[in-house]
Amino acid sequence: MKAPENDPIILSNNLISSLLDGIPHAETFKGKWSLIRAKLTELQSQLTEFAEFSNSSSSIPLSLDLLQSISQTLSDAVSLCEKCQTRNFSEGKLRTQSDIDSVLAKLDRHVKDSEILIRSGVLYDGVAPSSSSSSKREAARAESRGLITRLQIGSPESKSSAMDSLLRLLEADDKNVVIAVAQGIVLVLVQLLDSSSSSWEMKEKAVAAISMISMVGSSKHVLIAEGLSVLNHLLRILDLGSGFAKEKACVTLQALTFSKENARAIVSRGGVSSLLEICQAGTPGSQAFAAGVLRNLAVFSEVRENFVEENGVVVLMGIASSGTASAQENAIGCLCNLVSEDESLKLLVFKEGGVECLKNFWDSTPTVQSLEVAVDLLRHLASCPTIAEVVVSDGFIGRLVGVLNCGVLGVRVAAARAVYELGCSTRFRKEIGECGSIAPLIRLLDGKAVEEKEAAAKALSILMLYAGNRKVFRKDERGILSAVQLLDPLIQNLDKKYPVSVLASLVHSKKCRKQMVAAGACVYLQKLVELDIEGSKKLLDSLGRSKILGIFSRP
């Protein structure tokens, strides 16, 4: 057992008692001593709570440091109180006043730090017996509580060390991120960013921790809830931070820019300009993430004007041509979002070498998954007749047909939609069919995803306007049956006008009409007529007449 004079709790309580007895006898600065007395009363109550955890209070370095700091401040206060009792201002009255103000500020900080430490639960962790059988999750909770507490109290060096430990904890396992978020780490990190006393290095580390949280889906909502507070700090990092910090800020912004409100806030604060600058001169990693943030922002039509004003298309084309694989994919995805509803931007991308850039990316990308954004951009560019000519002459029809057979749903859907855009020009329907597109599109009609079924039906509806493609379709045994099955009203969120159009293009063939009737088309069409689906009544009438004609033609 510690001797009383070595126990910081006993020592502090003795000093408080001495001060409470001496303050009434102070002859000068009575108002300030009155404030100090109020702080002493709060501190005395907290020391009582510390005493209940005497074992942990003396064994946990954080609480021991705080208690020793408290006793030192109280010792200084006793000396000052004695000066004020004797009016002994050998060092000057102003100096004494300054020393009293310093003691008051320290006591105020001690009270706040003690409150944080008591409420954190760290002292309970200290009393809990260590057990080798305790779960990893409980250990992570206890470590999180300790680190969160250390980030709020103690010296700058202690806080910096705690931040390093926190980063290691978060990096080790996503479950640790969830635990730390539940313990309230996000609020503490934001407070560090807000604090004028936090060093720039500390703020950059806080941004790194926040970036790890943003990458865990179940935790990012806590960051989103912080709103503009987090965004403002991240944007400041984009302008003034190190390359490492900028990269981590962009990682977080990628998670926060799916919200229109956040997108507007970033744009209004000059975020587009900062992000484009990183795309031009940042590290390879930060370029990729900055392009990812811009890709998210470009979804919102009201912010696209900022891209034009900042010469964003040219910058993005540069990244799409020479950046890392991830940066290229994000840049192309951003261009895709930018041009989706803007004919002038499609032409601008084309003039800046967009088709050639797209071809190089397509032919060099190592994974099929990465092609989805490229196929989407091709689709948007192909909707412009002038660009479609170049796209076809550069051999993109063959590339599209190739990925219609790939194993990635998003790429197949994007390819079918691109086929439709090219097929809108009568000049290309024949070539698209001759390149072998009909068979894979028929297979997509039987796909599991509704969007895949609809994209294939839509593409076929335009290709079937060419007689040669209808001939190829009729040769496929699954074609008619697959198209008829899409008429079923139970298949929701699928525009029925496309399979109706496919079947209508074949209804002049007696064999096809028989196949449609046998597959149950009439039953489905009667329901679609009631729903007023485009073309359904005309197709039903055609099939009805064929049935009547068949009856009269019997011997």
Side-chain angles (χ1 to χ4, degrees):
M1 181 179 291
K2 286 186 177 182
E5 62 271 14
N6 294 328
D7 189 318
I9 297 177
I10 295 175
L11 177 59
S12 294
N13 275 320
N14 290 339
L15 290 169
I16 289 175
S17 297
S18 176
L19 278 167
L20 291 176
D21 290 339
I23 286 175
H25 303 292
E27 296 291 330
T28 54
F29 306 115
K30 292 184 178 181
K32 293 184 182 297
W33 284 112
S34 176
L35 295 174
I36 288 175
R37 183 170 54 195
K39 292 295 176 187
L40 292 174
T41 304
E42 290 184 71
L43 199 54
Q44 195 172 37
S45 173
Q46 291 170 333
L47 288 170
T48 301
E49 293 192 60
F50 276 120
E52 295 175 6
F53 301 95
S54 55
N55 290 333
S56 58
S57 296
S58 58
S59 62
I60 298 175
L62 189 60
S63 58
L64 183 58
D65 289 346
L66 176 58
L67 290 168
Q68 289 174 341
S69 181
I70 289 172
S71 62
Q72 181 59 55
T73 301
L74 292 171
S75 181
D76 293 340
V78 169
S79 298
L80 282 172
C81 187
E82 290 173 354
K83 284 184 182 180
C84 292
Q85 289 172 0
T86 62
R87 295 180 177 268
N88 177 19
F89 301 130
S90 56
E91 297 178 355
K93 190 172 182 179
L94 288 178
R95 173 62 184 273
T96 302
Q97 180 179 350
S98 175
D99 289 343
I100 292 173
D101 287 337
S102 175
V103 164
L104 182 57
K106 287 178 181 179
L107 288 172
D108 183 61
R109 189 173 69 246
H110 293 329
V111 168
K112 290 177 180 176
D113 288 352
S114 297
E115 180 65 21
I116 291 170
L117 190 57
I118 291 167
R119 287 190 304 171
S120 69
V122 171
L123 298 178
Y124 289 94
D125 295 332
V127 238
S130 59
S131 169
S132 57
S133 63
S134 60
S135 70
K136 289 183 178 180
R137 185 171 295 183
E138 286 305 319
R141 282 198 184 97
E143 187 176 357
S144 293
R145 278 194 292 270
L147 291 173
I148 289 171
T149 305
R150 286 174 58 194
L151 287 172
Q152 296 176 83
I153 66 177
S155 66
E157 294 75 17
S158 172
K159 290 180 179 179
S160 179
S161 173
M163 181 62 77
D164 292 336
S165 298
L166 176 69
L167 291 172
R168 288 192 292 271
L169 179 70
L170 298 180
E171 193 174 20
D173 194 330
D174 284 354
K175 292 179 181 177
N176 293 346
V177 173
V178 176
I179 289 170
V181 168
Q183 298 283 345
I185 187 60
V186 171
L187 180 59
V188 173
L189 292 172
V190 173
Q191 287 172 345
L192 287 171
L193 291 174
D194 285 333
S195 174
S196 57
S197 63
S198 295
S199 66
W200 188 253
E201 180 186 7
M202 191 68 168
K203 290 185 178 183
E204 290 195 342
K205 288 180 180 179
V207 169
I210 286 173
S211 74
M212 294 182 192
I213 294 169
S214 73
M215 290 188 286
V216 178
S218 61
S219 298
K220 71 172 67 172
H221 69 281
V222 182
L223 286 175
I224 294 172
E226 290 295 328
L228 293 179
S229 178
V230 171
L231 286 179
N232 288 334
H233 290 297
L234 294 174
L235 292 173
R236 190 166 177 232
I237 291 287
L238 292 187
D239 291 330
L240 303 173
S242 63
F244 168 81
K246 287 179 180 181
E247 180 175 328
K248 298 306 178 184
C250 287
V251 169
T252 307
L253 287 171
Q254 269 195 284
L256 301 182
T257 43
F258 291 101
S259 152
K260 183 180 288 189
E261 292 71 22
N262 286 348
R264 284 174 177 166
I266 291 170
V267 172
S268 67
R269 288 161 175 76
V272 171
S273 175
S274 299
L275 290 162
L276 288 171
E277 187 176 332
I278 293 173
C279 285
Q280 287 180 294
T283 63
S286 62
Q287 285 180 331
F289 288 116
V293 180
L294 291 169
R295 178 179 178 178
N296 291 347
L297 295 177
V299 169
F300 305 105
S301 56
E302 58 263 47
V303 306
R304 291 173 188 165
E305 185 179 338
N306 293 83
F307 283 87
V308 177
E309 292 174 354
E310 299 290 343
N311 204 26
V313 169
V314 175
V315 175
L316 290 165
M317 287 296 300
I319 292 291
S321 300
S322 60
T324 64
S326 178
Q328 287 181 316
E329 183 177 347
N330 279 330
I332 290 173
C334 183
L335 290 168
C336 183
N337 290 335
L338 282 176
V339 305
S340 63
E341 299 171 359
D342 194 311
E343 294 301 313
S344 63
L345 282 177
K346 290 176 187 176
L347 291 171
L348 177 58
V349 170
F350 173 65
K351 289 176 182 176
E352 293 294 334
V355 174
E356 185 65 25
C357 172
L358 200 54
K359 183 166 64 174
N360 292 336
F361 176 78
W362 195 307
D363 295 341
S364 64
T365 186
T367 62
V368 178
Q369 286 93 335
S370 302
L371 280 179
E372 185 173 349
V373 291
V375 180
D376 263 335
L377 180 56
L378 176 67
R379 170 170 66 96
H380 291 307
L381 294 178
S383 67
C384 178
T386 306
I387 304 175
E389 293 276 354
V390 178
V391 164
V392 172
S393 65
D394 275 0
F396 274 99
I397 287 178
R399 290 182 175 87
L400 279 176
V401 173
V403 294
L404 281 173
N405 292 297
C406 78
V408 182
L409 172 63
V411 177
R412 295 197 302 269
V413 171
R417 290 170 177 169
V419 165
Y420 171 81
E421 292 296 344
L422 286 173
C424 287
S425 172
T426 56
R427 298 178 54 194
F428 306 136
R429 291 170 192 160
K430 178 182 178 182
E431 185 175 346
I432 294 171
E434 289 175 348
C435 281
S437 63
I438 304 301
L441 286 171
I442 289 174
R443 284 196 291 275
L444 296 191
L445 294 177
D446 293 325
K448 292 182 179 180
V450 172
E451 59 178 344
E452 184 174 19
K453 297 174 186 286
E454 180 175 294
K458 187 175 181 179
L460 286 167
S461 71
I462 203 77
L463 294 180
M464 301 298 279
L465 297 178
Y466 172 66
N469 292 337
R470 294 196 293 272
K471 185 176 180 181
V472 175
F473 188 97
R474 288 197 299 269
K475 290 180 179 179
D476 193 309
E477 295 180 358
R478 284 288 306 173
I480 297 291
L481 177 61
S482 297
V484 168
Q485 287 176 340
L486 296 187
L487 300 177
D488 187 349
L490 294 178
I491 301 176
Q492 299 180 350
N493 301 319
L494 189 151
D495 196 333
K496 306 297 182 185
K497 72 181 180 184
Y498 298 122
V500 167
S501 175
V502 171
L503 295 170
S505 67
L506 301 166
V507 78
H508 300 294
S509 163
K510 182 178 179 181
K511 180 181 177 181
C512 290
R513 288 197 303 270
K514 285 184 177 180
Q515 288 178 316
M516 292 178 204
V517 173
C522 294
V523 177
Y524 292 143
L525 286 168
Q526 287 171 355
K527 296 177 182 177
L528 296 185
V529 170
E530 295 173 7
L531 296 171
D532 199 25
I533 300 300
E534 180 182 330
S536 58
K537 188 176 187 307
K538 184 176 180 180
L539 179 57
L540 180 62
D541 290 345
S542 297
L543 293 178
R545 284 197 300 273
S546 73
K547 285 165 55 179
I548 293 173
L549 290 173
I551 292 172
F552 284 111
S553 65
R554 290 174 185 170

